[in-house]
């Protein structure tokens, strides 16, 4: 499923990833050019997403259709059109929350 591919990593997964990187650096097995990049994952939070769009770092903006109050997200489609970033609406905050490991 596509939402599992971009799911936010849990604290345990992040701890394991950082521990492996630290061991590789300690053992000098890793060159600076071969260092793995941070995994691609979904970012969430209205302020964080707005700043990503303004800095042209967002690739796709996903907005839940049932946000209360709706005025919170009304600026996002206009901002995305201005910056030429694709956006879409998802039915329900629950579906969007599953990608970010936020369950309601």
């Amino acid at each position: 499923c596509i939402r599992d591919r971009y799911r936010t990593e849990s604290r345990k997964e992040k701890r394991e990833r950082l521990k492996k990187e630290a061991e590789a650096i300690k053992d000098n097995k890793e060159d600076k050019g071969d260092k793995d990049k941070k995994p691609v994952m979904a970012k969430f939070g209205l302020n964080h997403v707005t700043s990503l769009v303004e800095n042209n770092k967002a690739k796709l903006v996903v907005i839940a259709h049932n946000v209360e109050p709706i005025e919170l997200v009304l600026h996002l489609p206009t901002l995305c059109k201005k910056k030429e970033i694709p956006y879409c609406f998802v039915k329900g905050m629950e579906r969007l929350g599953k990608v970010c490991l936020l369950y309601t």
Side-chain angles (χ1 to χ4, degrees):
C1 184
I2 193 165
R3 73 173 186 212
D4 293 336
R5 193 176 340 159
Y6 298 108
R7 184 177 56 84
T8 305
E9 64 183 349
S10 66
R11 290 181 181 180
K12 184 178 179 182
E13 293 169 343
K14 183 177 180 181
R15 192 177 328 122
E16 290 173 1
R17 178 178 58 87
L18 293 175
K19 193 178 285 188
K20 286 179 185 177
E21 288 178 10
E23 288 174 1
I25 291 172
K26 182 179 177 183
D27 296 337
N28 291 328
K29 293 180 181 177
E30 185 175 353
D31 294 334
K32 291 184 179 183
D34 296 336
K35 187 175 181 180
D36 291 335
K37 291 185 177 180
K38 205 172 167 181
V40 177
M41 64 183 99
K43 305 291 183 176
F44 57 94
L46 187 61
N47 291 336
H48 187 66
V49 171
T50 303
S51 65
L52 289 174
V53 171
E54 289 173 347
N55 296 330
N56 289 328
K57 291 185 178 181
K59 304 294 182 195
L60 172 69
V61 176
V62 182
I63 306 166
H65 86 286
N66 59 348
V67 176
E68 281 293 324
I70 192 69
E71 291 83 11
L72 292 175
V73 294
L74 282 179
H75 71 284
L76 280 177
T78 308
L79 187 61
C80 289
K81 284 181 184 177
K82 180 180 175 185
K83 297 288 188 170
E84 297 179 355
I85 295 174
Y87 67 94
C88 66
F89 288 93
V90 175
K91 184 177 180 181
M93 288 189 294
E94 296 80 20
R95 292 181 184 178
L96 192 55
K98 286 182 183 178
V99 176
C100 301
L101 295 178
L102 297 174
Y103 300 102
T104 57

